[in-house]
Amino acid sequence: MSAVPVAVRTHAVAARCVFDGVKRHKDAAVVIEDGRIIAVTARADVPKILPLCELPETAWLVPGFIDIQVNGGGDVLFNDAPTLQAIRAIVAAHRRFGTTTLLPTLISDSLEKMKAAIAAVDTVVGVEPSILGIHLEGPFLSPEKAGVHDRRAIRAPTADDLALLRRPRRGVTLVTLAPEQVPARFISKLAVAGVRLSLGHSMATYAETVAAMAAGLTGFTHLFNAMRPLSSREPGPIAAALESPNAWYGLIADGIHVAPAMLRLATRGLGHPILVTDAMPPVGGSRASFVLNDETVVMKDGRCARADGTLAGTCLDMATAIRNCVRWLDVPLTDALRFASTHPAEFLGLGDRFGKLAPEFRADMVALDGATIEVLRTWVAGRTQ
Ligand SMILES: [Zn+2]
């Protein structure tokens, strides 16, 4: 995949249904200039001289999917190789499933690996249009809820970590942490620096979660998984997330990590659901196994797990997550599409440029079959493959 071109001719893409992230437009077209959307208009109003791509009758044209939690894809694990080449392989693997932008996600690792991953992403942001920044999942987590994270890598943050994380950079920095494992002002210092903070792999109580949210934490990483469960006298982080209109929660809609009834509960909360894949190398790849923290993880029957049965991410892609959401959660396709584009863009503070089809937004788009929810084609910054 190449960088955004210096100049692209004005062109348009028309569909029977254009969903702009807010509402559906019948027989409409998106007009694109230099990788940006300049208009969403009636198909009949597209000037005749403009090159026009007409999508098949059953196709919907929708905002590109934004995946904020991608550990790997195309047989590549980001932790193994935080390099430009690896990042491009991951991007290409996920693009076929409609993901037009993503955050490479580093699972808890050494400070050296964190620095290498951040440096690699810093180099790529602005060059590779599908990379919005980085997601550091850990290492400031609860050992009690480590899941597949290496307990040896889990630790308390140091002054060096704080300096590294709040250094200004072009891309987004998202950090998943356990609020009860970090010093009191760590969250507010990062939030003030523009870092997005998400609770995950945590045993935080309800009170600790509310305090973290008051300090600037807004996200919940794979809600329900690897966190203190809901219970009558200690509601924990899940209750705090579901009752707050300022909460954004990632959901893994693979039917393995979370029961559909729990996902339905999340869609009925006051917060904003975000579909994530938490994908591992087999997504868009050819190999059914990989190595994580010196242990082999095998993909079988739709799950990625270690020999001891511990789930290790997923083999889920975004199109499947959306399809599952529609089938299991009793939500319309338009809502599921918002969970995959508009909501993650807003959570990352990029809601004025990504996640919708509207003037001034980047032309990141997906054509999908409205009935089967299969991806037909993608555009990143106006360019199709
Ligand atoms: Zn996790």
Side-chain angles (χ1 to χ4, degrees):
M1 204 170 299
S2 56
V4 183
V6 176
V8 181
R9 281 193 310 164
T10 307
H11 60 111
V13 182
R16 185 109 171 103
C17 173
V18 173
F19 174 63
D20 65 8
V22 179
K23 59 180 189 292
R24 291 166 58 173
H25 305 259
K26 204 176 165 205
D27 290 321
V30 176
V31 184
I32 300 153
E33 189 173 85
D34 288 333
R36 304 219 158 260
I37 296 169
I38 57 170
V40 178
T41 183
R43 187 195 300 238
D45 292 342
V46 176
K48 293 284 173 283
I49 55 161
L50 228 53
L52 179 66
C53 166
E54 300 253 17
L55 294 176
E57 193 66 11
T58 57
W60 283 39
L61 185 62
V62 305
F65 309 149
I66 301 169
D67 193 346
I68 61 170
Q69 192 167 3
V70 182
N71 310 298
D75 295 324
V76 172
L77 181 68
F78 184 51
N79 274 65
D80 281 347
T83 63
L84 173 60
Q85 194 185 16
I87 291 170
R88 285 196 161 143
I90 293 170
V91 163
H94 285 268
R95 185 163 167 177
R96 76 180 73 159
F97 303 108
T99 297
T100 52
T101 51
L102 58 85
L103 298 183
T105 301
L106 190 79
I107 300 163
S108 296
D109 214 314
S110 65
L111 180 60
E112 290 67 39
K113 187 62 78 66
M114 285 168 70
K115 284 180 176 169
I118 289 171
V121 170
D122 279 352
T123 314
V124 168
V125 171
V127 176
E128 165 51 65
S130 288
I131 298 298
L132 296 175
I134 190 167
H135 181 170
L136 298 159
E137 191 187 14
F140 320 125
L141 307 178
S142 165
E144 225 179 305
K145 289 289 177 186
V148 81
H149 288 244
D150 187 348
R151 280 184 174 75
R152 292 166 300 181
I154 291 176
R155 59 188 176 81
T158 63
D160 282 351
D161 292 312
L162 185 63
L164 175 70
L165 294 174
R166 65 175 174 179
R167 199 172 295 152
R169 48 182 58 97
R170 278 193 295 184
V172 172
T173 305
L174 169 62
V175 176
T176 290
L177 51 73
E180 77 281 11
Q181 299 287 334
V182 301
R185 296 199 55 220
F186 187 68
I187 289 173
S188 59
K189 284 177 182 168
L190 290 180
V192 164
V195 174
R196 307 281 145 176
L197 295 143
S198 190
L199 178 148
H201 294 268
S202 166
M203 278 300 286
T205 61
Y206 175 83
E208 285 166 336
T209 307
V210 169
M213 293 180 79
L217 179 139
T218 53
F220 292 81
T221 297
H222 44 57
L223 190 70
F224 303 115
N225 293 111
M227 61 181 67
R228 180 191 287 277
L230 274 173
S231 78
S232 55
R233 281 183 291 281
E234 176 42 77
I238 298 168
L242 293 178
E243 70 177 11
S244 171
N246 301 319
W248 305 83
Y249 25 81
L251 300 174
I252 303 176
D254 66 348
I256 292 162
H257 280 73
V258 198
M262 295 299 265
L263 294 171
R264 283 195 288 275
L265 187 63
T267 63
R268 286 162 193 162
L270 294 183
H272 312 279
I274 293 175
L275 291 177
V276 298
T277 63
D278 199 6
M280 285 296 187
V283 174
S286 57
R287 293 199 289 271
S289 68
F290 59 96
V291 174
L292 175 67
N293 301 330
D294 304 324
E295 294 208 51
T296 301
V297 175
V298 177
M299 176 179 75
K300 198 173 166 221
D301 303 327
R303 65 170 66 208
C304 287
R306 289 194 313 216
D308 67 359
T310 305
L311 290 175
T314 77
C315 43
L316 181 67
D317 62 75
M318 275 301 244
T320 303
I322 291 168
R323 215 177 296 125
N324 291 343
C325 202
V326 170
R327 286 181 188 160
W328 299 336
L329 308 191
D330 203 19
V331 298
L333 175 57
T334 47
D335 279 359
L337 292 168
R338 268 186 215 106
F339 301 166
S341 57
T342 323
H343 285 187
E346 289 173 354
F347 169 54
L348 297 179
L350 302 173
D352 58 344
R353 282 166 285 160
F354 293 90
K356 286 181 188 162
L357 303 183
E360 300 302 319
F361 280 64
R362 209 173 74 177
D364 289 358
M365 315 190 292
V366 175
L368 52 81
D369 188 291
T372 63
I373 316 181
E374 297 285 347
V375 172
L376 306 172
R377 205 162 165 183
T378 58
W379 291 259
V380 173
R383 298 194 82 190
T384 191
Q385 283 175 313

